[in-house]
Amino acid sequence: MSTAYVIDPPIVPSLPVVGDTRRFAVNRIYCVGRNYADHAREMGHDPDREPPFFFMKPANSIVTDGKDMAYPNLSNDVHHEIEMVVAIGKGGANIAADKALEHVYGYGVGLDMTRRDLQGEAKKMGRPWDTGKAFDQSAPCAAITPAAQYGHPNKGKVALLVNGEVRQEGDLNQLIWNVPDTIAYLSTLFTLEPGDLIMSGTPAGVGPVKKGDVLEGMVEGLTPLKIKII
Ligand code: MN
């Protein structure tokens, strides 16, 4: 007999999968902070002294399937951060870096949207980042490309265009912690599960968006992300 609930259970957030009618069910979203040296510097930090770190977004902050993103409340400084998304297919704890890619189902393009003003206040007050980072619709993501099809990228252009103009540009080979090292370290902090996503960090050039902007994110070889801010 199936479990009965006193309220309707939450809908499972999910992403389309390239070449498959089935979807990738999203469990948790981990984000890596300051994983490109030039972005760490633009935020006022020294990448040689401070290693990357993690924060999270809720799974239901995903926006996909060509839907628009609503400009969130209580901010006048919402920023784009283009990132490669790593989709975990096989869970585990204390995963060795040389086995880490066996845990990856595929890769996608995502945006770590940020209420920079609220994040800045939180930093100043020594408070958590959730209001700045984990708000409704803060994780627009494109379709996941299975690694079985595409392989495991360790180089390739990462870029974001706003209204057709290049705002962010970098290369996966500039990641301070590459994908295997990120999975290895993250899995010492949390037991990873199938459906977890890892937003791998953003290159330099983050900046504000406004209502009406069209954001086009790309990572070489992956399905691009296109989203309008409304
Ligand atoms: Mn980010």
Side-chain angles (χ1 to χ4, degrees), residues 97-114:
D98 64 353
K99 301 272 186 225
L101 296 182
E102 297 171 15
H103 293 259
V104 176
Y105 174 80
Y107 299 88
V109 177
L111 281 164
D112 165 16
M113 298 303 290
T114 303

Side-chain angles (χ1 to χ4, degrees), residues 33-34 53 55 118-119 122-123 127-134:
R34 294 175 207 143
F53 57 88
F55 57 90
L118 299 194
Q119 184 201 24
K123 283 182 184 174
R127 290 180 178 161
W129 283 12
D130 303 51
T131 56
K133 287 289 197 178

Side-chain angles (χ1 to χ4, degrees), residues 129-212:
W129 283 12
D130 303 51
T131 56
K133 287 289 197 178
F135 55 91
D136 296 351
Q137 304 193 352
S138 60
C141 286
I144 298 296
T145 298
Q149 197 172 312
Y150 175 71
H152 297 276
N154 53 23
K155 59 177 166 40
K157 187 173 156 180
V158 180
L160 182 81
L161 281 69
V162 179
N163 304 325
E165 195 177 296
V166 179
R167 291 280 181 84
Q168 288 191 264
E169 215 171 357
D171 194 292
L172 292 176
N173 66 14
Q174 298 164 343
L175 283 170
I176 297 171
W177 286 11
N178 62 21
V179 172
D181 289 345
T182 300
I183 291 172
Y185 184 51
L186 186 60
S187 72
T188 64
L189 290 162
F190 305 98
T191 300
L192 296 181
E193 295 178 1
D196 289 343
L197 298 179
I198 304 169
M199 287 194 162
S200 56
T202 198
V206 301
V209 299
K210 57 184 189 315
K211 286 181 190 172

